[in-house]
Amino acid sequence: SQQGEEDPQALSIQEGENATMNCSYKTSINNLQWYRQNSGRGLVHLILIRSNEREKHSGRLRVTLDTSKKSSSLLITASRAADTASYFCATDAERRFGAGTRLTVKP
Amino acid sequence: GAGVSQSPSNKVTEKGKDVELRCDPISGHTALYWYRQSLGQGLEFLIYFQGNSAPDKSGLPSDRFSAERTGGSVSTLTIQRTQQEDSAVYLCASSLAGPLTGQGKAFFGQGTRLTVV
């Protein structure tokens, strides 16, 4: 079964708006990570949140983790056109990714 | 090297030929992963190496796919008798330690785009 299922599959917003993406997983984890992919090539690690953390910030990124619901959310505030990319989550097993959320930020 | 290096970056091959894809992980990273991504799709796990342990091959789609990791460093993914459905971007990633350490951060190469014609 897939770990790290993201929703929505696609999200289109205007520059300056906030974007929220969600991730669900199935098993116990030590940590959960969010990655970004531009143009169908390598993924770039964005942020890691450990199972004993509930919220973490990095610049315009805010990640929350609810281990009771086995879910996480990634919030990008004040979005920019350059944030246009696909976003994936993965748990510490790192062997399963979901289909990702395709974010489009319109200028 | 500074990052994960994959070669070639692009490969066009004829149906039925064998191909080898190479991944040079970050020096010192004990964990190495191969994924496949078809156009517009998510990442499909293929195989995972961790140190000297037996690799997790559970994601390999058929016995035409194999991978090895020599000396705990460079890895080669081999696809025999390629089919058109093998066309995809093949991504390699490495991380400092395996999944149970809580480190978790994986570094990805830029991938090899394989086209089978």
Side-chain angles (χ1 to χ4, degrees):
Chain A
S1 61
Q2 287 277 343
Q3 293 250 4
E5 298 286 345
E6 301 89 353
D7 81 87
Q9 292 186 350
L11 181 61
S12 183
I13 59 174
Q14 294 294 135
E15 209 165 28
E17 294 180 340
N18 296 340
T20 299
M21 290 159 269
N22 303 296
C23 166
S24 60
Y25 58 93
K26 293 181 169 62
T27 64
S28 297
I29 63 171
N30 293 310
N31 65 65
L32 183 145
Q33 306 138 61
W34 284 90
Y35 292 82
R36 166 191 167 128
Q37 183 182 40
N38 287 37
S39 305
R41 288 291 188 158
L43 278 68
V44 175
H45 182 270
L46 293 177
I47 193 165
L48 180 153
I49 185 165
R50 302 192 190 284
S51 59
N52 60 353
E53 298 176 309
R54 291 297 168 260
E55 187 172 311
K56 196 163 184 180
H57 297 253
S58 176
R60 293 183 296 111
L61 305 180
R62 173 182 164 234
V63 169
T64 62
L65 179 65
D66 187 335
T67 53
S68 67
K69 295 181 179 178
K70 292 186 167 57
S71 68
S72 174
S73 68
L74 170 67
L75 169 68
I76 303 174
T77 60
S79 63
R80 305 167 182 167
D83 294 328
T84 295
S86 291
Y87 292 82
F88 296 86
C89 68
T91 60
D92 57 297
E94 298 170 66
R95 285 176 266 179
R96 299 288 187 272
F97 288 80
T101 293
R102 175 69 190 171
L103 174 66
T104 302
V105 182
K106 301 175 184 175
Chain B
V4 178
S5 177
Q6 291 188 246
S7 60
S9 56
N10 289 282
K11 175 73 177 177
V12 179
T13 190
E14 292 182 351
K15 179 181 174 181
K17 300 279 189 182
D18 297 352
V19 294
E20 284 190 352
L21 312 180
R22 177 186 169 105
C23 173
D24 281 275
I26 293 173
S27 178
H29 280 195
T30 59
L32 186 147
Y33 319 79
W34 282 99
Y35 294 89
R36 176 170 74 173
Q37 186 176 35
S38 300
L39 187 64
Q41 302 298 308
L43 277 71
E44 176 187 3
F45 165 74
L46 297 177
I47 189 168
Y48 163 66
F49 295 90
Q50 170 53 40
N52 295 322
S53 302
D56 176 357
K57 303 179 181 180
S58 61
L60 295 178
S62 77
D63 58 9
R64 295 187 296 106
F65 288 73
S66 63
E68 62 177 21
R69 188 178 185 192
T70 54
S73 181
V74 172
S75 177
T76 302
L77 176 69
T78 301
I79 309 173
Q80 296 178 310
R81 305 181 302 282
T82 52
Q83 304 294 314
Q84 287 185 329
E85 60 262 30
D86 299 334
S87 296
V89 175
Y90 290 80
L91 291 164
C92 174
S94 71
S95 65
L96 185 59
L100 298 181
T101 65
Q103 296 298 314
K105 182 176 177 178
F107 295 81
F108 281 79
Q110 288 303 298
T112 293
R113 186 179 301 280
L114 175 66
T115 304
V116 182
V117 298

